[in-house]
Amino acid sequence: MEAGTPDLIKLEDLEVGSGLTGRKHVLSLLVENKPGVLARIAGLFARRGFNIDTLTVGPTDDPEISRITLTLDGAVHPIDQVTKQLHKLVNVIKIRDMEPDQTVSREMALFRVQATVESRGEIVQFADIFRAKIVDVSRRSLTIEVTGSNEKIDAFERMIRPHGLIEMARTGEVAITRSRPDS
Amino acid sequence: MFYTRLPMRAADALCEALKAEGVEHVFGIPGGANLPTYDALYDAELIHIQARHEQGAGHAAEGYAKASGRVGVAFATSGPGATNLVTAIADAMMDSVPTVFITGQVRTDLIGTDGFQEADVTGITMPVVKHSFLVTDPRQIPTYIHQAFHIASTGRPGPVLVDVPQDLSRADIEYEPAAGAPHLPGYKPPSEGNIKQIRLAAKALANARRPVIYGGGGIVNANASQEFRDFCLSDRLPVTLTVMGLGAFPAPHEQWLGMLGMHGTRTANYAMDNADLIVAVGARFDDRITRKLAEFAPRAKFVHIDIDPAEISKNVPAHIPIVGDAGDVLPKLTSEYGRLNADPARLEEWWKQIGAWQEEYPLGYEDSEDSEIKPQRMIEALYKVTEGDAIITSDVGQHQMWCAQYYNFSSPRRWINSGGLGTMGFGLPAAIGAKVAKPDDTVVCLAGDGSLIMVCQEFATAAVHDIPVKVFLMNNGYMGMVRQWQELFWDGRYKSVEMGDSPDWVKLAEAFGWTGMRCTDKNEVEDAMQTALQTDGPVLLDVQVTKTENCFPMIPAGAAARDMVG
């Protein structure tokens, strides 16, 4: 190769993105089941100013490993930086940024709703439409269990709220990769 | 002595594990909760340096690590002993210093009861450690020690804390020397850089007309200074370093632009400002470098080489990221770049511009007309009498910046300072640690009077252990950098920055069993330093300098590099 004529790239062709994806991300973490792991993750998010939308923790098939599923907003946080910081935690074994179309995700929620004699029928109908279950009944209220995507739960909440929402508890999403059609 | 599956007290196993890791020296202070460890130290063939405050023990461990590249170790007891360590731990985190901190904890049955001298030190230190372990079973003690050393010293180095409850360290266990790499499923530090990315970087560099190589402390940590030099000298590439990287490139040198950043040279900062390609090696685009981020190096594309992937694109987005150890990446980059036969003539315009800046804006100061000692002159004297080859530790403030500007460090691990955390009082204990690690080298602590008073109890450590460090105190009677800011940016409303006439440093040094000396005449500085270096044992030289000299040039807060003042 002659001096001055190497196969160069042009500097002006080098580009770099903002790091923001603009969508919701579901991160699935496999972590060592050891004391303090959750505190390390929560502390990392707090001190780096990352805001978690939901976070769930639970066991996996391996008793030494737990799964943490967390969702955050890729329009606000550079997800790449979040995952790289998480990777630095020694107890974090694996991180998967779940692809929305290859992921099954579910959330469960419990709603306690005011239910008068007049409104009870309509609430039960809503519950049927959403394939929700009535899990507790009293003279003035109903407790309803709903499972589904968090959009479905948001929708159910909108339907039920006008009746008088007494209390709500949501689990946050858990997610798992879809199997390929041929497997 | 060598034990295999021998029943022994866990505290003894702790010492065996330290020895198996090659530890010879530890720094620390005993207390209730780590009594078993100190009882084990009674028999262990480890040299223990008894500091006078746990912060001192921690900084000494850092100085030891920075001077030698080996892991520094410090012990503290539970509660206040452990909390006193926190500043040193945070300091080691910010500057990526390989250190292991071993704290005593209250008995397991007392944990969570607010027991006497109980503090949740793993909780307190969580944001400032690379990793930490709370021992819950005595058999974990040697395992965790080995894991701690592995984590502290590999990848991007950093502090690891092991918290050992008192009762567990007294228990008997079977100790087996560790074999092979520890089992850490979530810890896989990268080493080799991606060759495609390296080729891309070489091509970009070969096409750059205004390149700058910007190196940091990562080069020193990777022991890759030679590889860095080889890379920079493989062409006429302009080189600048951060305050943490000084020594990685031999200053002075025709390709050396000086330090960059807040108190860097105008040439280095203007070069960054005008560069078309910046190759960052083991540096993290700290705010002291970038200053106003939105206007930092606006014309440049960035190649970023770092062993910590999270540093890449954290502050400044990298066009060509390369994750890997500088010692692995740089030789490959040098050879890939060499194969391209880049035309050196393309850099001629750039060097002409750099030469013009160097001529117009050399580092300089106005010397006094009388015998007053200008602080910059003190650094020049220090350079002269140590022939540019001492290990210099420093505190934090003006003296640190003047030293970084005027002492031309030519090799790595000779400049030991607190860069990231900016810990006043770092210098003296770090010098003690450095001298323990490198007993044959001259170790000078260039101290500031505002800083030194914060750790002056460590004079006793050096005296009692006969560690002959030399403290050259740049005494201006002020917390000088804060005073400078009050003068320049707060309308001269000086508040709580004067140190007054206390202490009499010579008397204080003498009270601790040191030799105390004083110098007030610029014509006597070199002789006084020479005498101090030739005097046996620890020596303090109180050099009284200009009281209100400002450290220039500087990039003011919120300004860009091109707006340097002074």
Side-chain angles (χ1 to χ4, degrees):
Chain A
M1 209 178 280
E2 279 177 55
T5 59
D7 72 303
L8 303 175
I9 52 156
K10 288 204 180 103
L11 290 187
E12 49 268 36
D13 292 343
L14 292 171
E15 281 177 8
V16 68
S18 71
L20 298 177
T21 62
R23 64 170 173 89
K24 184 187 91 170
H25 284 253
V26 179
L27 301 183
S28 175
L29 280 60
L30 295 179
V31 303
E32 290 185 87
N33 181 12
K34 287 192 170 159
V37 176
L38 189 58
R40 283 178 208 275
I41 290 169
L44 168 66
F45 275 72
R47 72 177 175 273
R48 296 274 175 194
F50 305 143
N51 192 15
I52 311 174
D53 289 336
T54 72
L55 181 146
T56 67
V57 192
T60 64
D61 52 312
D62 182 341
E64 295 192 354
I65 294 174
S66 304
R67 184 189 301 278
I68 294 178
T69 308
L70 49 90
T71 59
L72 35 87
D73 189 349
V76 185
H77 307 300
I79 299 298
D80 193 42
Q81 177 64 206
V82 174
T83 56
K84 287 191 294 192
Q85 291 292 349
L86 282 168
H87 261 302
K88 285 171 73 168
L89 299 176
V90 172
N91 298 129
V92 174
I93 300 168
K94 201 172 169 187
I95 302 171
R96 177 174 257 163
D97 183 2
M98 311 289 275
E99 290 291 332
D101 55 348
Q102 291 163 25
T103 306
V104 183
S105 61
R106 289 291 180 270
E107 181 174 6
M108 198 190 86
L110 296 170
F111 294 87
R112 195 145 62 87
V113 193
Q114 284 176 7
T116 58
V117 178
E118 296 78 37
S119 67
R120 193 169 293 251
E122 193 184 16
I123 294 169
V124 172
Q125 262 187 346
F126 282 141
D128 277 346
I129 293 165
F130 281 85
R131 296 189 193 178
K133 279 191 275 187
I134 313 287
V135 292
D136 190 37
V137 186
S138 75
R139 278 175 46 207
R140 295 209 173 85
S141 72
L142 288 171
T143 302
I144 304 165
E145 173 196 318
V146 198
T147 307
S149 67
N150 60 359
E151 291 84 1
K152 175 180 161 181
I153 291 171
D154 288 345
F156 185 72
E157 184 194 333
R158 281 196 300 274
M159 301 305 292
I160 219 82
R161 192 177 273 282
H163 290 284
L165 185 57
I166 302 165
E167 210 175 4
M168 175 180 80
R170 294 176 65 158
T171 59
E173 276 185 290
V174 290
I176 203 160
T177 316
R178 262 182 216 285
S179 41
R180 294 199 187 91
D182 54 352
S183 61
Chain B
M1 264 196 283
F2 194 69
Y3 300 99
T4 307
R5 294 196 73 83
L6 211 67
M8 67 167 84
R9 193 169 48 163
D12 295 305
L14 188 153
C15 292
E16 288 303 315
L18 290 177
K19 288 192 297 192
E21 291 292 344
V23 175
E24 294 170 59
H25 300 93
V26 294
F27 303 87
I29 301 182
N34 67 355
L35 273 170
T37 308
Y38 275 79
D39 190 63
L41 278 174
Y42 192 90
D43 296 318
E45 289 142 3
L46 291 167
I47 299 167
H48 179 265
I49 314 293
Q50 182 195 346
R52 293 304 188 263
H53 185 288
E54 288 83 356
Q55 184 189 351
H59 291 322
E62 286 187 272
Y64 185 92
K66 286 192 181 198
S68 66
R70 298 166 67 188
V71 176
V73 182
F75 288 165
T77 190
S78 66
T83 56
N84 280 348
L85 267 184
V86 172
T87 300
I89 297 173
D91 192 272
M93 186 67 173
M94 288 290 260
D95 286 349
S96 307
V97 190
T99 38
V100 170
F101 297 94
I102 301 169
T103 47
Q105 182 52 274
V106 298
R107 295 193 320 260
T108 44
D109 61 304
L110 287 172
I111 290 180
T113 68
D114 302 321
F116 176 65
Q117 291 193 330
E118 181 185 1
D120 172 16
V121 69
T122 52
I124 288 168
T125 58
M126 210 169 264
V128 294
V129 292
K130 187 173 175 189
H131 193 55
S132 57
F133 297 95
L134 170 60
V135 174
T136 54
D137 180 320
R139 288 168 301 184
Q140 293 164 341
I141 291 174
T143 310
Y144 283 173
I145 295 291
H146 292 308
Q147 292 184 348
F149 273 76
H150 181 68
I151 294 168
S153 61
T154 54
R156 179 180 181 175
V160 181
L161 177 109
V162 185
D163 197 25
V164 189
Q166 196 253 21
D167 54 328
L168 302 185
S169 59
R170 296 179 77 161
D172 283 331
I173 61 168
E174 284 190 345
Y175 173 64
E176 219 176 338
H183 174 67
L184 292 160
Y187 182 72
K188 293 174 211 81
S191 57
E192 285 184 31
N194 181 311
I195 191 69
K196 281 187 188 157
Q197 290 292 94
I198 294 172
R199 280 194 192 121
L200 194 60
K203 286 178 183 173
L205 183 58
N207 199 30
R209 293 178 169 272
R210 299 186 310 277
V212 177
I213 313 302
Y214 146 56
I219 302 165
V220 178
N221 274 335
N223 293 316
S225 298
Q226 190 55 53
E227 290 84 348
F228 182 71
R229 288 158 198 222
D230 292 346
F231 166 62
C232 297
L233 300 181
S234 71
D235 201 347
R236 280 186 73 212
L237 301 171
V239 187
T240 182
L241 292 166
T242 67
V243 75
M244 296 308 297
L246 296 179
F249 190 80
H253 188 284
E254 58 184 15
Q255 283 172 238
W256 171 240
L257 310 182
M259 180 176 76
L260 84 165
M262 191 159 153
H263 289 286
T265 62
R266 282 178 186 263
T267 301
N269 285 319
Y270 289 178
M272 294 289 280
D273 191 47
N274 284 276
D276 65 351
L277 184 78
I278 289 171
V279 181
V281 187
R284 58 186 178 86
F285 296 91
D286 174 76
D287 64 275
R288 256 44 190 170
I289 300 304
T290 64
R291 304 310 286 146
K292 190 175 186 181
L293 193 58
E295 289 181 33
F296 172 66
R299 300 154 188 85
K301 307 283 177 171
F302 296 94
V303 175
H304 194 172
I305 303 166
D306 205 290
I307 197 161
D308 180 356
E311 282 307 336
I312 292 173
S313 300
K314 184 184 78 178
N315 295 338
V316 173
H319 299 81
I320 306 177
I322 302 173
V323 177
D325 187 288
D328 172 79
V329 173
L330 288 170
K332 290 176 182 161
L333 182 56
T334 308
S335 110
E336 291 296 332
Y337 179 68
R339 282 171 50 180
L340 296 173
N341 280 325
D343 183 4
R346 78 192 191 286
L347 303 177
E348 265 168 33
E349 276 297 307
W350 186 221
W351 274 111
K352 215 179 277 174
Q353 172 65 68
I354 290 171
W357 286 325
Q358 283 171 324
E359 195 153 318
E360 193 172 351
Y361 307 111
L363 266 183
Y365 64 97
E366 220 170 290
D367 201 359
S368 61
E369 281 167 19
D370 51 14
S371 62
E372 186 175 81
I373 306 167
K374 286 281 186 167
Q376 301 92 332
R377 186 182 171 112
M378 177 183 169
I379 305 297
E380 287 174 339
L382 174 64
Y383 183 74
K384 217 162 157 190
V385 296
T386 56
E387 293 167 352
D389 194 34
I391 294 177
I392 309 286
T393 73
S394 94
D395 288 312
V396 169
Q398 289 179 315
H399 65 285
Q400 174 194 25
M401 290 299 116
W402 278 315
C403 194
Q405 291 175 335
Y406 286 89
Y407 195 103
N408 287 310
F409 290 93
S410 59
S411 45
R413 301 197 181 282
R414 313 301 279 177
W415 167 236
I416 294 173
N417 76 134
S418 167
L421 196 67
T423 308
M424 291 174 68
F426 175 84
L428 172 60
I432 290 171
K435 186 68 183 173
V436 169
K438 296 279 178 189
D440 298 332
D441 288 343
T442 300
V443 176
V444 175
C445 166
L446 177 75
D449 54 319
S451 294
L452 188 60
I453 194 80
M454 294 183 177
V455 292
C456 62
Q457 75 284 344
E458 302 305 333
F459 282 120
T461 308
V464 169
H465 288 276
D466 195 19
I467 301 166
V469 294
K470 314 298 173 187
V471 172
F472 292 176
L473 173 62
M474 185 183 279
N475 187 354
N476 60 9
Y478 279 107
M479 291 174 69
M481 189 62 93
V482 186
R483 188 209 56 74
Q484 176 172 340
W485 277 67
Q486 288 182 346
E487 177 191 327
L488 298 177
F489 309 114
W490 297 87
D491 302 329
R493 288 155 58 88
Y494 296 134
K495 178 65 185 163
S496 304
V497 286
E498 259 186 284
M499 300 306 291
D501 292 332
S502 174
D504 179 326
W505 285 101
V506 171
K507 282 186 185 164
L508 184 76
E510 285 168 357
F512 277 107
W514 287 42
T515 304
M517 299 165 54
R518 181 165 288 134
C519 180
T520 55
D521 183 331
K522 72 178 182 190
N523 301 306
E524 292 165 10
V525 179
E526 280 168 37
D527 286 347
M529 286 181 174
Q530 206 63 263
T531 309
L533 292 178
Q534 283 159 5
T535 304
D536 286 341
V539 181
L540 175 120
L541 174 62
D542 175 11
V543 182
Q544 303 204 333
V545 300
T546 310
K547 290 179 93 60
T548 53
E549 183 81 0
N550 287 330
C551 183
F552 285 128
M554 77 179 292
I555 314 177
R562 75 190 77 91
D563 303 320
M564 289 197 89
V565 297

